Amino acid sequence: PEQIGAPGRNLTVSLDPNAPRQVVYGRAALAGVRPFADVYASNQKMGLVFALSQGPCVGLHALILDDTTVTLSSGTVTTSPWANKVRLQTENGASDATAFSSLASASSYFDSNMRGRGIAKAFLEVDYDEDMLAGGFPQALFVWDGVKVYDPRKDTTRGGSGTHRFDDPSTWDGDGYDNPALQALHFIRGVYENGQRVFGLGVPASLIDFAAFAAAATVCDATVGGGKRYTAGGVVTDADDREGVLDAFGAAMGGAVWESAGLFTCYAGATQASAMTLTDDDLAGGIEFIPAPAFRSKINTLRGRFTDPARDWRENSTAPVTDATYRTEDNDEIISDEHPILLVNSAAVAQRLTRLELANRREPRTYRARWKPKAAVLSEGDCVTINSSEIGVNEKARIIEFALDQDGFALMTLRTETDAKYTAADNFSEAMPSFERIDRYDPRETITPAGGD
């Protein structure tokens, strides 16, 4: 499998006749796959067709020629040097799409049967002009608003309000096309043509936790700093590693997407109430208590890597996220790392996610234990309160690993959950949260006992 998020892979046109099917989620710039090109009109015009995404999509946002965003009037480019010499037609990937009629009438090799049904595509026609083409054929990038997605919040049969239906893509709209929780749900459901799955996982409705995806979508849509809290945009191909795709969607919403006990579920990064309190009486054995992150894994400065529209849709880094208190705790040493956010193309969202990730890596304590069947109703991503007199703690923790053994006991790994980190992630002027810490052993320090100690 390919790895999602390879820098720049969307910016080069593919001529591979066996290129994997791809889907644009949210807004992305891509060169696409070019399945057809022909010269006609006595060699004075060239027509090119680009396959962009599985549809149906919201549609074209902008056309970029040689790193210049051009203006269009009724499909004709009006920006110099291509003014009135380059024309564009697009099709959004409807299942009943027709072929580009003007190309079919002009080219001897393109006809009305070449519909590309279900595939969003573009037809670019370029006039021959020696001066315009002196530097070569213009490189075209299509800034595309991607596939329409299903929203359980708009489905009356799933506890929502509206006409969306999971099994009928014709009822979906483009309102949540940039929502990472709904994008993940689209990938999990998969895409079907003529009854055959052509993209995604193909998970049936009975194995999806729709309530969790609806709740995560609401977290993503919340207005923070004048925009949505979490948005995502990028290209996923059918050759990409499936788990890597789910991880990328989870990272884009500050949470996780996973399959647990046969059910696909998720959560988005936001304050979450404790589902239950676990005490020493709920333990089925001892509890392993790790009081601090491993010495070699700690960091105090983090940069997020994301796709930046302001950098011609190439990779960029956020400003470094750090905190003076963290550096003081680490002996005034700057310990930095990078955080790849593969499906994010908003600088504000990338900064928010990087702040949240840094706080997650500073969370002080981890617990591992086997719990009685009371905890069997929980799942990965839930928050609980651990109230243990044995180790002297009473605090909230999030389940980061969960499994049931054959006796119905829950095997869980939990990490402390500090609610203040979400406020700090949402508001860049807010100080990063401080954590109650236990001094860790530092192998670089030699401590000499004093007196008779």
Side-chain angles (χ1 to χ4, degrees):
E2 294 183 1
Q3 296 301 312
I4 184 175
R9 75 170 184 175
N10 305 327
L11 305 182
T12 302
V13 65
S14 172
L15 305 181
D16 183 2
N18 298 310
R21 191 175 296 251
Q22 62 187 26
V23 170
V24 175
Y25 286 107
R27 180 171 294 170
L30 70 162
V33 179
R34 197 186 78 193
F36 181 87
D38 187 25
V39 176
Y40 46 86
S42 300
N43 295 330
Q44 295 303 299
K45 297 180 185 294
M46 175 176 277
L48 307 101
V49 176
F50 300 86
L52 302 177
S53 173
Q54 178 70 40
C57 292
V58 177
L60 181 75
H61 176 75
L63 173 65
I64 300 174
L65 296 178
D66 289 344
D67 293 333
T68 298
T69 301
V70 301
T71 57
L72 295 163
S73 176
S74 300
T76 299
V77 174
T78 59
T79 302
S80 180
W82 308 282
N84 301 313
K85 299 170 185 176
V86 177
R87 290 162 292 281
L88 174 69
Q89 296 178 35
T90 61
E91 206 285 319
N92 292 345
S95 58
D96 58 352
T98 58
F100 292 116
S101 57
S102 58
L103 180 59
S105 62
S107 170
S108 302
Y109 301 99
F110 192 91
D111 62 44
S112 59
N113 292 318
M114 297 179 179
R115 303 173 183 178
R117 289 176 290 188
I119 302 295
K121 51 197 174 294
F123 162 44
L124 201 64
E125 185 177 71
V126 181
D127 293 346
Y128 176 75
D129 182 280
E130 186 173 352
D131 294 332
M132 182 183 72
L133 300 177
F137 199 84
Q139 180 185 8
L141 285 180
F142 305 92
V143 182
W144 197 255
D145 288 344
V147 69
K148 297 178 181 179
V149 294
Y150 166 75
D151 189 341
R153 299 172 298 175
K154 295 184 176 183
D155 185 346
T156 54
T157 69
R158 304 284 177 194
S161 176
T163 58
H164 276 218
R165 296 296 182 265
F166 182 71
D167 293 324
D168 186 0
S170 68
T171 64
W172 307 350
D173 58 44
D175 287 348
Y177 82 106
D178 60 351
N179 187 303
L182 302 182
Q183 294 168 351
L185 184 55
H186 179 276
F187 180 77
I188 290 168
R189 177 196 184 273
V191 176
Y192 294 81
E193 291 290 346
N194 296 325
Q196 300 296 316
R197 180 169 58 90
V198 296
F199 182 84
L201 301 184
V203 176
S206 59
L207 300 181
I208 298 174
D209 184 354
F210 287 101
F213 282 97
T218 298
V219 170
C220 294
D221 281 342
T223 300
V224 175
K228 295 180 180 180
R229 176 183 277 121
Y230 303 125
T231 59
V235 179
V236 175
T237 80
D238 200 41
D240 288 331
D241 177 74
R242 278 28 172 196
E243 289 189 13
V245 173
L246 294 181
D247 289 345
F249 284 126
M253 57 181 170
V257 183
W258 71 96
E259 177 269 331
S260 177
L263 191 70
F264 281 81
T265 187
C266 72
Y267 76 90
T271 302
Q272 183 175 323
S274 174
M276 67 171 61
T277 297
L278 298 173
T279 68
D280 294 331
D281 292 336
D282 300 315
L283 285 167
I287 183 170
E288 179 184 358
F289 169 55
I290 304 172
F295 172 77
R296 297 184 183 279
S297 66
K298 66 178 181 178
I299 63 166
N300 53 43
T301 304
L302 192 63
R303 284 181 180 268
R305 297 204 327 261
F306 69 106
T307 301
D308 191 352
R311 290 285 187 91
D312 296 324
W313 295 87
R314 292 172 172 83
E315 190 176 70
N316 198 5
S317 296
T318 66
V321 176
T322 188
D323 185 85
T325 300
Y326 299 166
R327 294 197 301 272
T328 299
E329 291 174 351
D330 296 334
N331 300 319
D332 292 323
E333 180 182 357
I334 296 177
I335 309 172
S336 62
D337 197 5
E338 291 190 337
H339 178 45
I341 318 171
L342 304 178
L343 288 177
V344 168
N345 55 29
S346 162
V349 172
Q351 189 79 358
R352 182 170 299 119
L353 290 168
T354 303
R355 290 171 66 85
L356 179 58
E357 177 65 12
L358 176 61
N360 281 336
R361 297 200 197 182
R362 303 291 298 192
E363 285 285 1
R365 287 176 286 282
T366 303
Y367 306 91
R368 295 191 182 97
R370 183 170 181 257
W371 304 85
K372 294 176 182 178
K374 169 185 176 180
V377 298
L378 298 169
S379 66
E380 192 172 324
D382 285 340
C383 288
V384 299
T385 299
I386 297 180
N387 187 353
S388 171
S389 58
E390 179 179 339
I391 57 176
V393 298
N394 183 13
E395 62 187 358
K396 185 192 288 188
R398 188 181 291 275
I399 302 170
I400 56 178
E401 292 180 4
F402 180 91
L404 291 176
D405 65 16
Q406 60 185 4
D407 299 319
F409 289 79
L411 307 174
M412 296 193 295
T413 300
L414 306 99
R415 181 189 65 203
T416 51
E417 179 76 351
T418 305
D419 290 345
K421 64 187 176 185
Y422 298 109
T423 303
D426 286 347
N427 303 293
F428 299 164
S429 60
E430 187 84 13
M432 295 294 290
S434 59
F435 300 97
E436 180 186 353
R437 311 193 72 82
I438 297 174
D439 288 341
R440 62 175 70 82
Y441 165 64
D442 187 340
R444 298 171 301 179
E445 293 184 5
T446 300
I447 302 175
T448 302
D453 292 342

